[in-house]
Amino acid sequence: MQRTSITLPRLFLLWLSIGLQSFGGGMATGALIRRTAIEQEKWLDEAEYARQSSLCSVVPGMNLLSLTILIGYRVAGTPGVVISLLGLLLPSVSMALLITAAFIHLRHNPAVQKALTYGIVPATVGLGLYTTGQNALALLRESGEQGKSVLAVSLALIVAGVVLFGIFRLPVFGVLVGGGVCGAIFEVWYQRRYRKDPPT
Amino acid sequence: MTQLLELFWLVLKATLLSTGGSGNLPMLHEDLVTVRGWLTSEQVAEAVGIGQIAPGPTGLWVVSLGYFVGGVPGALTATLAVIIPPLSVLILAQLYARHRGNPTIDGFVRGLALTVTGVSIVILFYLLTASGGLTVRVCCMALFGAILMATRKVPVWLILLLAGLVGAFF
């Protein structure tokens, strides 16, 4: 891990400015972090950035927080992690708090209620459907490249998630861990069956 | 106080067992609405909506969720709980390099990711029925959101602003 000579107050200001500008959700935030880290500050190059962000999608929780933590650590060690998280989250968490508090007072205003019930919430569900669809497609495409049986198992796991949780009302945790275990068992079996080293 | 500790644990648990900013939604929905009854499905939908309006990474909807459960202390508790799981990336950065390609690990992660998408579809359906019911109008708005998002050109805040205006005045 290479450490740069940036001062902590300056690091804080950099992340604060990312946090302040990041209206428009995760995509905007991601683009801002990328621009700051690669183009502006040259903390890491493009390939290294890609490797680091792919790690972030595997760990639990928000990917952009993991990315902030990784970059903060690279740049200034443990204090860098704390400073970077504070800078990024201070504006966004305060704004979320203010909007929520304002909303509680406006909840019974008919226009606000209609905007939310018939506009923002359904549109948000649409955004969620798009994201979920993209995730599912990416996973299925990857499975399809490995073979038809892999694709079939992957489709079955998605359907199992819908049926076991939506119809049989099984607890989410059990459904997810069950999905993981089935995925692991199948992958081990599949590798043994088809990926034996070819005879030389 | 006990409620705050419990909230901390529930958010931490849901976030530890999921990836992404809203992967913890299904489990939190179940724990807070179905099991504890602290919130209604409608409030969860509102928290998700507010989370979309506020700046910053996707996933800060738990700030609103925490606020609905226990005011400002609740919001801060929930925020703290979502910060902890991503810290594991520092450990993973070292471990993953060593175990990449292990079929058990790869298979588990993929199986998990696949069932998460299945469960998410169900939850999105719940949120839709909890807001305006399954009317043509509500479904059209969801479709409108998905299509604008798919163009990748329209910023999220603009999609939601348009949706809010259409919902309020038409």
Side-chain angles (χ1 to χ4, degrees):
Chain A
M1 295 266 164
Q2 227 172 9
R3 309 252 166 113
T4 55
S5 56
I6 192 166
T7 62
L8 289 181
R10 187 170 144 67
L11 186 64
F12 178 71
L13 286 179
L14 280 173
W15 284 104
L16 193 68
S17 107
I18 294 175
L20 280 171
Q21 292 177 66
S22 59
F23 278 91
M27 283 192 196
T29 318
L32 282 164
I33 294 179
R34 193 187 151 86
R35 194 190 298 157
T36 308
I38 301 177
E39 293 165 26
Q40 192 186 322
E41 298 298 318
K42 303 196 176 7
W43 286 328
L44 19 82
D45 63 32
E46 298 234 353
E48 184 61 16
Y49 186 87
R51 277 195 291 274
Q52 302 284 346
S53 7
S54 76
L55 278 184
C56 297
S57 59
V58 193
V59 288
M62 296 154 66
N63 300 348
L64 289 174
L65 283 191
S66 315
L67 189 62
T68 306
I69 290 164
L70 264 185
I71 296 177
Y73 189 78
R74 259 179 99 88
V75 173
T78 309
V81 173
V82 178
I83 290 293
S84 305
L85 280 176
L86 263 181
L88 178 76
L89 290 178
L90 212 55
S92 17
V93 171
S94 330
M95 281 296 298
L97 265 177
L98 283 176
I99 296 174
T100 315
F103 170 75
I104 286 186
H105 290 288
L106 293 173
R107 183 183 269 156
H108 300 295
N109 175 313
V112 170
Q113 216 162 27
K114 278 173 71 186
L116 213 74
T117 312
Y118 296 112
I120 294 174
V121 170
T124 307
V125 169
L127 301 186
L129 274 178
Y130 172 75
T131 320
T132 306
Q134 288 296 99
N135 287 346
L137 275 180
L139 292 165
L140 289 176
R141 206 175 300 133
E142 191 187 78
S143 311
E145 279 162 14
Q146 288 184 32
K148 279 193 184 134
S149 58
V150 183
L151 182 64
V153 169
S154 294
L155 268 173
L157 280 172
I158 296 182
V159 175
V162 173
V163 172
L164 293 178
F165 176 63
I167 297 173
F168 291 99
R169 304 289 171 107
L170 295 185
V172 177
F173 178 66
V175 175
L176 297 186
V177 171
V181 170
C182 290
I185 291 172
F186 175 74
E187 187 70 20
V188 169
W189 172 83
Y190 184 82
Q191 298 276 344
R192 289 228 177 103
R193 177 87 173 66
Y194 293 103
R195 292 285 169 81
K196 288 229 169 99
D197 289 334
T200 41
Chain B
M1 192 61 211
T2 346
Q3 197 188 24
L4 281 187
L5 278 177
E6 213 174 335
L7 176 70
F8 179 79
W9 163 243
L10 292 176
V11 177
L12 184 70
K13 179 186 73 171
T15 312
L16 269 175
L17 295 170
S18 63
T19 61
S22 41
N24 50 6
L25 175 61
M27 219 178 293
L28 281 174
H29 186 279
E30 178 175 83
D31 280 334
L32 296 177
V33 179
T34 317
V35 179
R36 299 290 193 297
W38 290 349
L39 297 176
T40 62
S41 205
E42 200 183 357
Q43 281 176 308
V44 175
E46 286 165 357
V48 174
I50 295 170
Q52 292 285 344
I53 304 170
T58 324
L60 289 182
W61 65 279
V62 295
V63 175
S64 307
L65 193 82
Y67 193 97
F68 286 147
V69 174
V72 175
L76 296 179
T77 303
T79 309
L80 195 65
V82 286
I83 292 177
I84 294 171
L87 286 170
S88 59
V89 77
L90 291 173
I91 304 167
L92 186 84
Q94 282 153 0
L95 277 185
Y96 190 60
R98 231 178 295 163
H99 294 284
R100 200 184 299 229
N102 177 315
T104 314
I105 307 276
D106 288 353
F108 187 87
V109 172
R110 182 192 285 165
L112 192 70
L114 285 163
T115 27
V116 165
T117 61
V119 169
S120 300
I121 293 168
V122 177
I123 287 294
L124 287 167
F125 182 76
Y126 283 167
L127 293 185
L128 204 60
T129 48
S131 68
L134 269 188
T135 61
V136 176
R137 183 181 178 184
V138 163
C139 292
C140 282
M141 188 55 78
L143 199 65
F144 162 84
I147 291 172
L148 281 191
M149 188 67 184
T151 65
R152 291 165 185 256
K153 298 235 166 65
V154 190
V156 173
W157 63 265
L158 187 61
I159 300 178
L160 297 169
L161 184 70
L162 288 174
L165 288 175
V166 172
F169 298 112
F170 292 98

